[in-house]
Amino acid sequence: MKAKISGNIVCRRVSAAKGQWKEVMIMKKAYRRIFTIVLDSFGVGAMEDSPQFGDVGVDTLGHISESVEEFKIPNLQKLGLANLHPIRQVKSVEKPLGYYGKLREASRGKDTMTGHWEMMGLWTKKAFRTFTEHGFPPELIQELSRRTGRVIIGNKSASGTQIIEELGEEEIATGHLIVYTSADSVMQICGNEETMGLENLYRYCEIARELTMKDEWKVGRVIARPYVGKKKGEFRRTANRHDYALKPFGKTVLDTLKEAGYDVISVGKIYDIFSGEGITEFQKSQSSVQGMDQTIELAGRDFHGLCFVNLVDFDVLWGHRRDPVGYARELERFDVKLGELMQVLREDDLLILTADHGNDPTYSGTDHTREKVPFLAWSPSMRGGEKLAESENFAVIGATIAENFQVEMPEGTIGTSILNKLK
């Protein structure tokens, strides 16, 4: 008996009467909806090349576990997370509900855009530029000052909350413009909503995005960072952040899904990461808990296609701020919402949980960490899972989604589907 596969159709030769053979077509299992949730920065151990990125012995999940006494994540446990990676407080389970494995990153980087773009098939061979050590070049700062009409202050690598505490009063009093960077390929611009105004802040960021398209100044994202308050101790960043990201350098699986007429719904900062390319509907989130609530609400709707979610609080609130206890508590809050989502998913839904990089909250500095990421897959129609072989790239996710919906991987992309393994 022989079989050949094309898309979701299996053509199988079976015996017929009088020694004859006939070919019958059997539909492989296809999911009507796929929910892909990215736990931003949730790494599960160092990549083999992590020392090249300045990361030695990093392990986001492992070190979070070592930093807390209690760690209650029963739904992640059921899906096989503790089978995938040892967790001091959480036992592995004999029969995980889902399929579990680790993904290595092929691209040269450890940032948000590189990780998400690779999930959808793009292999970034050259890392985005960073300006962590010395700030942005004087020529760029001078041109930004000339175009905005404001004196630039800051221009260094800093925590967003700390630099507002340091320079917020000066910005309010003088009208100067706070510009800073981080370990990522990013230019961030702060503005007080009450004195500068959101529209002005956004306009300055648009100018900065135009300037940083030059090769020697090119950054992955320009981010508007609005805040409110009048003096130190009262400053608070608001939810009106806006990212001005580079467009993906090629077509992704999101584009082919949209072109084929499928729904591609994004939650959180997915829309910004892909500059809206390939998205049919988007919802911004003010927190990871809200992002999960939005996802649960979307699960109650009838759509056909992909729901792509980013939960950023793990990274922004706890990873960069080097707070392993806060990270653990955020994971516990997520686990509760995960249980609620699992209750409302349908038999023909597929849930994929993953991450875009690591951010070990016990490591030195405030940068992302070069790590492998988890891959957990579950559907209510599954009757148990098993361990998957470690993948050489994140693009296994996009390739699996593409095969499920019978769309072609765009030209020049990477990734091999494992849809046939998710039984």
Side-chain angles (χ1 to χ4, degrees), residues 11 88 100 112 114 116 146 167 179 245-246 264 350 386 413:
C11 297
R88 183 168 61 89
Y100 56 95
T112 296
T114 299
H116 282 78
R146 185 187 72 80
L167 299 175
V179 174
L246 292 174
V264 183
L350 176 65
E386 60 187 37
T413 53

Side-chain angles (χ1 to χ4, degrees), residues 306-325:
L306 174 66
C307 178
F308 197 6
V309 182
N310 175 279
L311 305 177
V312 73
D313 286 354
F314 302 104
D315 186 51
V316 173
L317 297 184
W318 317 117
H320 284 303
R321 296 181 186 180
R322 294 304 189 247
D323 185 347
V325 177

Side-chain angles (χ1 to χ4, degrees), residues 239 267-269 283-295 309-314 317 330 333 337:
V267 176
K269 64 177 186 177
Q283 296 184 19
K284 298 293 184 70
S285 307
Q286 296 187 14
S287 69
S288 290
V289 169
Q290 186 193 27
M292 285 300 292
D293 284 336
Q294 291 167 312
T295 305
V309 182
N310 175 279
L311 305 177
V312 73
D313 286 354
F314 302 104
L317 297 184
E330 190 73 47
R333 287 189 288 272
K337 291 298 178 181

Side-chain angles (χ1 to χ4, degrees), residues 153 156 160-173 178 192 194 227-237:
I153 55 176
K156 61 183 179 181
T161 53
Q162 290 175 352
I163 203 163
I164 292 171
E165 283 296 297
E166 177 187 346
L167 299 175
E169 289 182 351
E170 179 180 348
E171 180 185 78
I172 293 170
I178 302 172
N192 189 289
E194 300 161 318
Y227 67 97
V228 293
K230 292 180 171 57
K231 61 182 181 180
K232 290 181 180 180
E234 295 180 356
F235 294 133
R236 177 178 56 84
R237 294 201 295 194

Side-chain angles (χ1 to χ4, degrees), residues 44-75:
V44 289
M47 290 267 293
E48 287 74 13
D49 65 358
S50 65
Q52 298 176 26
F53 292 79
D55 302 327
V56 178
V58 291
D59 184 353
T60 298
L61 174 56
H63 291 152
I64 289 170
S65 171
E66 292 173 5
S67 301
V68 294
E69 288 302 315
E70 292 188 343
F71 193 23
K72 297 179 180 179
I73 48 173
N75 293 299

Side-chain angles (χ1 to χ4, degrees), residues 8 19 24 46 48 125 140 147 201-202 231 234 241 280 287-288 297 309 332 338 349 367 369 383:
N8 282 335
V24 297
E48 287 74 13
K125 299 180 182 180
L140 171 55
R147 294 278 300 274
L201 175 61
Y202 292 161
K231 61 182 181 180
E234 295 180 356
R241 160 182 170 162
T280 62
S287 69
S288 290
E297 182 181 354
V309 182
E332 291 178 333
L338 173 60
D349 289 337
D367 192 5
T369 45
R383 297 297 175 259

